[in-house]
């Protein structure tokens, strides 16, 4: 067998390669950008009227009857200004039907809760010292302890959804991918990948735009790292059986998920299947599909949904999906998953209903892409279904090494646990370079489909049954039913019942004929009745002629 590290990587590398020239990177890296500057906002006196005076986040009112100034407690606008000075805003969803609270630190934003906002204010109050200042020849005072007591008694007047709508609205546009460029946010800069090159930009490229903090990768990108010899590249090579054609399919599928640009007319679900033909009852998995998901999740923000409990009819089925997710992964759904539920997602965007929360609308341009990991073949009959699916197969390179169930073939072969402390900075750098090269390959060529013959055979076996699959593929001493050959479905049905001991209560002639049609479809053949002969006469006509 050809050694992975000795193989010519040029067979599968993208035509556009990494620029080897070191790019100047602004010394102000991400850690500097995310640093909060201290703000002295608790010692400013503001006269609102002859009877109202504000000092920072507190206010006093003059009591004419008593002839003195009374400390009243929290000044709401002061707290709103305090939060704004620390980068806190309200932000509306694209359809303006939902509001969220966010923190913006030099264009890096994250969603926060009302409880978080209150904790920020609480920390500021905890730093408050005794207050004493002069106003109009009077001395106004409040002890630190009194300030804290007033905060405890009055904070509910400010920190609620209605009151916090007074926060300034955040209007920055998101920094998005374009049809020809993908952007990745690393600690040392913004990495721009195109079909022909990779360039590292300083973070001032954001300008007046923003990016979710969850989309920032907590690693340093090295444009000179050796991606082709990464552990991830070896994993893909193994699970594609070293086939350059299958590697192109795998890598462009990965690149598609990494590219955050969406075209409503071209959106597809990436579906990962096992290559080895099995029945639905024997579907075992453990071929590495889950690891592939986690690889993409190291670079893009993803949401993993349990497919076994997923019900596409449930209005809350996507409630875990957030606005910052770049892709959604449905893990091992039922074979009869109805793809009609997903059709509108690609053209109209995601409308996410959430229990006890306002619904969230993500427009098509910002919508997450869909990844499905399945141990069985999903039912995708119909032109609409097929047009929205891109299938990637995983070989049994690793799963065939599992005999007792205790084996760890990936760890044994690679000498490490992927995405763990077993990886040092060099391996992570090689991984990042390889993943971005996949995105380059996609930007260069688009999605490159693979051979679907295994998918078609798997679907037939899982929908028509093991006995029928064996009967039609092993008919005539292993030749199988052939195109352009006359057959009688009645005779075939009789043979099938005799061999496999079926009676008509279990399977009728009509059902058997429907399965014969499915077999032809799996081969790309048309099922045509033979005219002028027995009623059961038919033949398969190859569409290729």
């Amino acid at each position: 067998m050809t050694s992975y590290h000795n193989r010519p990587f040029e067979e599968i590398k993208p035509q556009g390669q990494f620029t080897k020239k070191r790019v100047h990177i602004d010394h102000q890296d991400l850690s500097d950008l995310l640093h909060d500057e201290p703000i002295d906002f608790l010692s400013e006196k503001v006269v609102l009227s002859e009877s109202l005076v504000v000092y920072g986040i507190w206010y006093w009112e003059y009591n004419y009857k008593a002839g003195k100034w009374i400390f009243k407690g929290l000044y709401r606008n002061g707290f709103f200004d305090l939060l704004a000075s620390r980068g806190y805003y309200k932000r509306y969803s694209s359809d303006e039907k939902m509001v969220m609270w966010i923190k913006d630190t030099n264009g890096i934003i994250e969603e926060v809760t009302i409880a978080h906002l209150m904790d920020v204010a609480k920390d500021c109050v905890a730093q408050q010292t005794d207050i004493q200042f002069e106003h109009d020849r009077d001395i106004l005072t409040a002890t630190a302890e009194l300030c804290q007591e007033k905060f405890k008694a009055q904070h509910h007047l400010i920190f609620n959804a209605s009151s916090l709508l007074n926060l300034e609205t955040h209007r920055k546009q998101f920094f998005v991918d374009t049809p020809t460029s993908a952007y990745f946010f690393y600690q040392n800069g913004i990495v721009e990948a195109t079909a022909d090159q990779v360039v590292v930009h300083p973070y001032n490229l954001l300008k007046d735009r923003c990016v979710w903090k969850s989309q920032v990768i907590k690693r340093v990108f090295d444009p000179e790292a050796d991606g082709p010899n990464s552990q991830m590249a070896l994993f893909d090579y193994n699970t594609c059986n070293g086939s350059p054609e299958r590697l192109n399919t795998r890598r462009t599928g990965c690149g598609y998920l990494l590219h955050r640009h969406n075209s409503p007319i071209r959106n597809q679900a990436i579906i990962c299947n096992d290559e080895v033909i099995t029945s639905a009852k024997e579907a075992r998995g453990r071929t590495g599909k889950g690891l592939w998901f986690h690889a993409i999740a190291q670079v893009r923000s993803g949401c993993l949904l349990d497919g076994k409990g997923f019900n596409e009819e449930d209005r809350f089925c996507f409630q875990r999906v957030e606005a910052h997710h770049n892709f959604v992964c449905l893990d091992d759904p039922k074979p009869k998953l109805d793809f009609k539920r997903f059709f509108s997602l690609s053209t109209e965007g995601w409308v996410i209903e959430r229990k006890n929360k306002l619904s969230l609308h993500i427009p098509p341009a910002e919508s997450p892409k869909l990844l499905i990991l399945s141990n069985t073949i999903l039912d995708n009959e119909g032109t609409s279904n097929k047009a929205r699916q891109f299938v990637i197969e995983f070989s049994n390179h690793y799963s065939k090494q599992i005999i007792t169930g205790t084996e760890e073939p990936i760890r044994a072969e690679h000498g490490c646990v992927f995405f763990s402390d077993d990886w040092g900075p060099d391996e992570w750098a090689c991984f990042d370079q390889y993943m971005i090269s996949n995105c380059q390959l996609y930007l260069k060529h688009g999605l490159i489909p693979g051979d679907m013959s295994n998918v078609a055979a798997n679907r037939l076996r899982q929908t028509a049954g093991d006995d029928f699959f064996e009967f039609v593929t092993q008919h005539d001493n292993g030749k199988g039913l052939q195109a352009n050959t006359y057959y009688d479905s009645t005779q075939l049905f009789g043979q099938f019942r005799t061999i496999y001991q079926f009676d008509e209560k279990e399977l009728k002639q009509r059902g058997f004929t429907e399965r014969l049609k499915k077999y032809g479809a799996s081969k790309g053949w048309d099922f045509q009745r033979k005219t002028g002969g027995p009623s059961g006469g038919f033949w398969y006509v190859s569409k290729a002629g």
Side-chain angles (χ1 to χ4, degrees), residues 53-342:
V53 175
V54 169
Y55 191 85
I57 55 179
W58 314 103
Y59 82 102
W60 285 254
E61 184 177 20
Y62 189 77
N63 187 314
Y64 288 96
K65 186 175 180 179
K68 63 179 181 180
W69 290 92
I70 306 296
F71 179 60
K72 302 296 289 186
L74 304 183
Y75 175 54
R76 298 190 192 192
N77 285 345
F79 270 95
F80 297 141
D81 291 342
L82 173 69
L83 292 172
S85 71
R86 282 159 170 73
Y88 292 98
Y89 302 85
K90 70 175 183 291
R91 184 179 178 94
Y92 289 100
S93 59
S94 58
D95 60 357
E96 298 190 350
K97 292 183 178 180
M98 191 194 82
V99 67
M100 66 184 74
W101 323 113
I102 62 107
K103 182 177 183 181
D104 183 335
T105 308
N106 296 307
I108 310 297
I109 72 171
E110 59 181 319
E111 186 175 1
V112 298
T113 63
I114 293 178
H116 174 88
L117 295 174
M118 190 175 74
D119 286 342
V120 171
K122 186 177 180 180
D123 289 342
C124 291
V125 172
Q127 299 172 30
Q128 180 71 67
T129 58
D130 293 346
I131 301 172
Q132 179 175 309
F133 64 98
E134 183 180 352
H135 173 65
D136 197 18
R137 292 181 293 182
D138 289 321
I139 302 299
L140 280 64
T141 63
T143 65
E145 183 178 0
L146 180 58
C147 291
Q148 293 179 20
E149 287 301 315
K150 285 291 186 182
F151 180 81
K152 292 177 182 177
Q154 299 176 359
H155 70 267
H156 66 280
L157 300 174
I158 297 176
F159 295 98
N160 60 76
S162 178
S163 180
L164 286 171
L165 291 176
N166 289 290
L167 276 176
E168 185 179 343
T169 300
H170 191 267
R171 301 186 185 279
K172 287 184 180 180
Q173 298 295 313
F174 283 109
F175 194 103
V176 298
D177 290 357
T178 69
T180 58
S181 294
Y183 296 91
F184 302 86
F185 304 94
Y186 282 86
Q187 294 292 104
N188 59 323
I190 299 175
V191 177
E192 178 186 8
T194 66
D196 301 314
Q197 64 177 350
V198 170
V199 179
V200 183
H201 300 281
Y203 264 90
N204 59 23
L205 184 68
L206 283 177
K207 296 181 180 178
D208 58 350
R209 292 169 290 181
C210 63
V211 62
W212 289 108
K213 186 178 180 180
S214 62
Q215 295 174 350
V216 175
I217 303 166
K218 298 178 181 178
R219 298 188 294 277
V220 172
F221 180 75
D222 180 3
E224 294 188 352
D226 188 6
N229 281 314
S230 66
Q231 295 292 345
M232 192 65 209
L234 174 57
F235 169 85
D236 278 347
Y237 181 81
N238 288 341
T239 53
C240 289
N241 287 330
S243 163
E245 293 77 16
R246 294 181 61 181
L247 277 166
N248 284 337
T249 299
R250 173 79 60 82
R251 296 184 63 201
T252 56
C254 175
Y256 169 79
L257 291 171
L258 295 177
H259 188 213
R260 294 180 301 138
H261 176 76
N262 281 312
S263 172
I265 62 174
R266 299 175 63 184
N267 271 2
Q268 291 181 290
I270 303 297
I271 301 178
C272 296
N273 290 145
D274 295 337
E275 169 198 8
V276 176
I277 299 174
T278 61
S279 67
K281 295 180 180 179
E282 295 176 346
R284 298 174 181 175
R286 301 192 70 176
T287 53
K289 300 186 295 295
L291 186 148
W292 197 69
F293 153 75
H294 285 291
I296 297 168
Q298 303 304 313
V299 183
R300 292 300 195 199
S301 175
C303 177
L304 180 64
L305 302 178
D306 180 11
K308 292 183 177 66
F310 183 82
N311 178 9
E312 63 270 24
E313 299 299 326
D314 183 355
R315 56 188 292 202
F316 301 115
C317 62
F318 292 120
Q319 66 173 333
R320 291 185 55 207
V321 178
E322 301 289 350
H324 60 83
H325 287 136
N326 297 137
F327 73 104
V328 173
C329 177
L330 190 58
D331 184 22
D332 198 18
K334 58 180 184 278
K336 290 294 184 180
L337 181 69
D338 186 1
F339 267 86
K340 293 178 182 178
R341 178 69 172 85
F342 302 97

